[in-house]
Amino acid sequence: MSRNQQLFERAQQTIPGGVNSPVRAFRSVGGTPRFIERASGPYMWDADGTRYIDYIGSWGPMIVGHAHPEVVQALRETVDRSFSFGAPTEAEITIAEEICKLMPSMEQVRMVSSGTEATMSALRLARGFTGRDLIIKFEGCYHGHADSLLVKAGSGLLTFADTTKNAPSSAGVPADIAKHTMVLEYNNVEQLKEAFAKHRGEVAAVIVEPVAGNMNLVRASQDFLQAMRDLCTADGAMLILDEVMTGFRVALGGAQSLYGIRPDLTCLGKVIGGGLPAAAFGGRRDIMAALAPLGGVYQAGTLSGNPLAVAAGLTTLRLIQKPGFHDALAAQTRKLADGLVALAQAAGVPFSADTVGGMFGLYFRAEVPRSFAEVTQSDTAAFNRFFHAMLDAGVYLAPSAFEAGFVSAAHDDAVIAATLEAARTAFGKL
Ligand SMILES: *Cc1c(COP(=O)(O)O)cnc(C)c1O
């Protein structure tokens, strides 16, 4: 038995399903999850000593590559001064200033420890500020696992839940809570207009992934986001852009800079922790003033703004501001996607791919999908075979047909070429 298998059997004794987050479990693709021992640059090594080119990057955070020497150094310098105080630090001001500089729609920011906390807190703030209950989200978007947001959600829920059922998409979410969440189709402008017309003055917030990355990758149309902005403004509803995945990943200024959309609130995570648990939400100063200790919306966290997480995040944010960083990242990601499309075509496999900055989507269907319904029409059996062929060849893709992929600055030409070589064989075997 391989060491990965041994560890998986042992893990299942004390950890539900053997994993601490569902998509790690390989349940949709089958097989044994790899237990990772270490990672460096674009590579990860598992418990059997096998090396993989990593296209998950901890689901987004590792944008400068694993164990970047400058991030390691920042952590070393921080750790000697202890790791948590439960009192404010100067580094928290610095990271807040940095975030507000990079995303000018964020006039003030509050640090939290996970994307889930960021979206959950932003929703409470939007509800507290507007005095309204109703929220609108979109099918296939994942905003963490707060009760209000586990309604037709993406990510692991899309992989595992029965998506034919209507809200909620997890057991344990009271219908009384889910009823305040309206779920509309992604990229459907007409439906959004109808919803606002029908619920005038009732919508607290619209929350959206401006580039969806939890139902594979699906871009929002410019019209869709613009309509959302206009409708929210006209109705006094808050527009929350969930940039936990896209923030600092699709562009230095996030998806909001690509689309030229100014949200009322933004949620960040993943890259801003550089691989440590940090996330944030922020936006208009008048809205943020409703938050405790200034206002009546309560929100708190023992480890919020944790010194180690802030050090890793701040160093990562500095590294990605080097001139040309995102252009180079986008070019490498594009090279990978174009290469895969060409190989699939040569092998006669129905396949398409899309990229936005350092994020990519691979689809086992002829056309790039524009909606949740289109994404679900991909050939998941073909994806699963491709996934395992790639894994056997030392390329670690997300173990689900419904997740986006991530490239880091450490994925140089040689790494992309090695990936494409593995893909040539993998497509050939389909
Ligand atoms: C990952 C993610 C979250 C949740 O973040 P966690 O840190 O896993 O709680 C929320 N929204 C989006 C868009 C995400 O990609």
Side-chain angles (χ1 to χ4, degrees):
M1 208 196 305
S2 77
R3 190 146 159 71
N4 283 309
Q5 281 167 320
Q6 285 170 20
L7 290 173
F8 190 42
E9 303 230 322
R10 190 175 134 212
Q12 289 174 85
Q13 302 305 310
T14 46
I15 303 172
V19 293
N20 279 315
S21 196
V23 283
R24 297 177 194 170
F26 276 34
R27 285 181 82 98
S28 67
V29 291
T32 308
R34 302 304 191 258
F35 283 72
I36 304 303
E37 276 192 354
R38 66 192 169 95
S40 176
Y43 302 114
M44 296 201 296
W45 286 262
D46 71 10
D48 287 306
T50 308
R51 190 189 80 174
Y52 302 93
I53 299 174
D54 178 21
Y55 285 104
I56 301 185
S58 187
W59 303 95
M62 311 314 291
I63 195 166
V64 295
H66 284 283
H68 189 287
E70 288 184 46
V71 180
V72 171
Q73 184 58 27
L75 286 171
R76 288 217 168 100
E77 282 167 15
T78 308
V79 76
D80 283 339
R81 290 181 271 128
S82 190
F83 359 105
S84 189
F85 314 119
T89 60
E90 184 172 354
E92 290 169 83
I93 313 173
T94 312
I95 198 167
E97 288 167 350
E98 201 73 6
I99 291 168
C100 294
K101 179 190 85 185
L102 295 174
M103 289 200 182
S105 74
M106 298 176 81
E107 294 167 352
Q108 286 206 317
V109 60
R110 168 74 48 95
M111 296 299 292
V112 292
S113 299
S114 71
T116 293
E117 265 186 276
T119 54
M120 178 186 81
S121 307
L123 272 192
R124 184 180 307 133
L125 178 58
R127 282 171 161 160
F129 184 77
T130 58
R132 304 172 180 179
D133 289 337
L134 189 61
I135 59 167
I136 292 178
K137 80 176 280 288
F138 300 93
E139 216 177 347
C141 286
Y142 177 67
H143 304 292
H145 60 88
D147 282 352
S148 304
L149 292 163
L150 284 185
V151 184
K152 286 213 171 181
S155 190
L157 291 145
L158 181 43
T159 309
F160 306 125
D162 175 4
T163 50
T164 57
K165 257 190 293 193
N166 220 322
S169 56
S170 162
V173 175
D176 272 353
I177 289 179
K179 78 177 184 205
H180 297 296
T181 303
M182 191 189 300
V183 184
L184 304 180
E185 284 171 26
Y186 199 76
N187 276 334
N188 188 335
V189 175
E190 282 317 306
Q191 206 181 52
L192 185 63
K193 284 185 181 161
E194 279 168 31
F196 268 96
K198 208 166 149 201
H199 296 276
R200 210 174 295 278
E202 292 173 36
V203 181
V206 178
I207 185 166
V208 68
E209 287 183 73
V211 174
N214 286 287
M215 51 169 158
N216 209 322
L217 183 154
V218 179
R219 290 167 190 258
S221 72
Q222 183 72 38
D223 289 352
F224 179 55
L225 292 184
Q226 191 60 55
M228 207 177 289
R229 177 64 281 176
D230 295 345
L231 288 163
C232 283
T233 304
D235 194 61
M238 300 293 105
L239 174 58
I240 305 174
L241 290 191
D242 180 354
E243 297 228 42
V244 169
M245 186 182 284
T246 54
F248 314 114
R249 159 68 60 185
V250 298
L252 186 56
Q256 52 195 273
S257 73
L258 294 178
Y259 286 90
I261 297 285
R262 192 178 173 95
D264 301 297
L265 293 170
T266 299
C267 301
L268 297 172
K270 298 194 167 107
V271 170
I272 63 161
L276 271 80
F281 65 101
R284 274 166 44 191
R285 188 177 298 274
D286 59 328
I287 303 171
M288 294 302 281
L291 211 53
L294 299 177
V297 178
Y298 195 70
Q299 189 281 328
T302 301
L303 297 176
S304 294
N306 173 267
L308 286 175
V310 168
L314 208 44
T315 311
T316 302
L317 290 184
R318 291 209 172 116
L319 288 166
I320 66 172
Q321 287 179 68
K322 292 205 171 133
F325 180 93
H326 283 88
D327 287 345
L329 186 69
Q332 289 308 88
T333 312
R334 209 355 92 189
K335 213 177 283 174
L336 174 70
D338 289 349
L340 290 174
V341 168
L343 291 169
Q345 239 161 28
V349 176
F351 179 85
S352 53
D354 198 7
T355 71
V356 185
M359 248 170 100
F360 63 85
L362 310 180
Y363 322 98
F364 283 82
R365 68 195 296 277
E367 304 280 330
V368 170
R370 289 291 170 234
S371 68
F372 173 81
E374 287 183 6
V375 169
T376 57
Q377 289 156 12
S378 13
D379 183 348
T380 50
F383 169 81
N384 290 353
R385 289 197 299 276
F386 182 75
F387 168 82
H388 277 293
M390 292 296 273
L391 194 67
D392 289 345
V395 179
Y396 196 114
L397 297 168
S400 161
F402 302 121
E403 301 286 353
F406 304 95
V407 169
S408 85
H411 290 69
D412 60 15
D413 284 346
V415 170
I416 302 288
T419 307
L420 293 176
E421 212 32 63
R424 184 191 306 278
T425 316
F427 279 126
K429 281 197 228 158
L430 290 182

